[in-house]
Amino acid sequence: MSGGGGSGSTTQTQALPGYAQPYAQQILQRGSDLSQQQMPQYGGQLVAGLTDGQQSAISGINNQAGQQNPTLNAANSAVQGAVSNASTPYQTSNQYIGQNVQASQNPYATMQNPYLDAQVSKAQTDLTNQYKNGTAAQTMAQFRNAGAFGGSAMQQYQDQQNTNLGNDLTNVESQLRGNAYANTQQAAGQQAALNTQTNLANQSNNLNATQAQNALNSQNYQNAQGNALAAAGLAPSLNAANYYGYQQQLGAGQTQQQTDQNQLSGQYQQWYNQAYSPYQQLGVLQSALQGALGNGSQGVTTSTQSGGSGWGNLLGGGLALGGGLLKAFG
């Protein structure tokens, strides 16, 4: 600080103590020398580039993404087939539909009994013989013993017996022929019932076979649809598997890249420590001087001189310069 004017003026200055002035001068000298030098510039590599593995993986992924994927194409076709309900390939036929079973024919249902006439003749002959040997003989003996043989009473009695014989012969024939007819009708009825049962069984079998075929076709269709959709659901996983090797290669390359980056960072740190060592040393010297002076305020002496002297201010500026250099490069 100065006051007054002219050559007779007095100047009040603040000066460092004597023990601090050599260090202040040293700070100024080092700062001056460093200011004359070019700032250190690191010429090495700072960022690690892609490794061969990364470049190979990226190239493979790009090629894979740009190509037609048969897995996804097949899945797309399967989905389209499921949506279009293309059920024709899943149709099956039942060979038993329409194959009717014929009822067995009873040969006695329409066949006349070839032995019927012989049976009738035999029965009538037996009755006639029984009449001759039994009834007729007894009648003749009866009337002969009574002394009325050949009379009208005998004739009437024989006529009645002959009528009875004729009725018996007719009844035997009617009974035999009626039984044969009844047997034929029974066989015909059984045949008709069998034919009806066979027709109903054929209808039931055809219905069951048709329902079984429809159920099988439906099940086949549902299975085919489900298989198609399940295959389509696996397509993304299968497609991702195509990239698995590249992803593994890319991960290994990233590990290598990080290792390279750590090495580059370590090399830069070594260069930095060496290149900026002078500035750090200057900062250490400045910090030591500031600590000794109590941040520049303790131990400073004040004097009044004639004329002007800026030495103290210059030293103070040197301290500020050293601190600025340390902050700029520390």
Side-chain angles (χ1 to χ4, degrees), residues 218-289:
S218 177
Q219 185 63 43
N220 289 341
Y221 173 72
Q222 296 297 332
N223 291 340
Q225 298 293 86
N227 292 338
L229 294 178
L234 292 176
S237 298
L238 296 176
N239 182 58
N242 294 331
Y243 294 93
Y244 178 77
Y246 296 127
Q247 292 172 348
Q248 294 296 104
Q249 188 177 19
L250 188 62
Q254 290 174 345
T255 301
Q256 181 63 48
Q257 184 187 39
Q258 185 60 49
T259 301
D260 295 342
Q261 182 63 55
N262 293 339
Q263 293 177 351
L264 292 175
S265 299
Q267 293 174 1
Y268 172 76
Q269 189 63 44
Q270 291 178 354
W271 172 87
Y272 179 87
N273 294 339
Q274 182 177 2
Y276 287 92
S277 178
Y279 300 94
Q280 293 174 345
Q281 292 175 352
L282 179 60
V284 171
L285 183 59
Q286 177 196 13
S287 297
L289 183 58

Side-chain angles (χ1 to χ4, degrees), residues 149-166:
F149 183 79
S152 60
M154 178 180 173
Q155 184 64 43
Q156 291 178 355
Y157 191 75
Q158 286 179 334
D159 290 340
Q160 182 62 44
Q161 288 180 339
N162 290 332
T163 300
N164 293 337
L165 176 61

Side-chain angles (χ1 to χ4, degrees), residues 191-242:
Q191 182 67 57
L194 179 60
N195 292 339
T196 301
Q197 291 176 355
T198 302
N199 291 334
L200 293 176
N202 287 331
Q203 293 178 5
S204 177
N205 291 338
N206 289 334
L207 178 60
N208 292 336
T210 301
Q211 292 176 342
Q213 176 179 323
N214 292 338
L216 180 60
N217 290 338
S218 177
Q219 185 63 43
N220 289 341
Y221 173 72
Q222 296 297 332
N223 291 340
Q225 298 293 86
N227 292 338
L229 294 178
L234 292 176
S237 298
L238 296 176
N239 182 58
N242 294 331

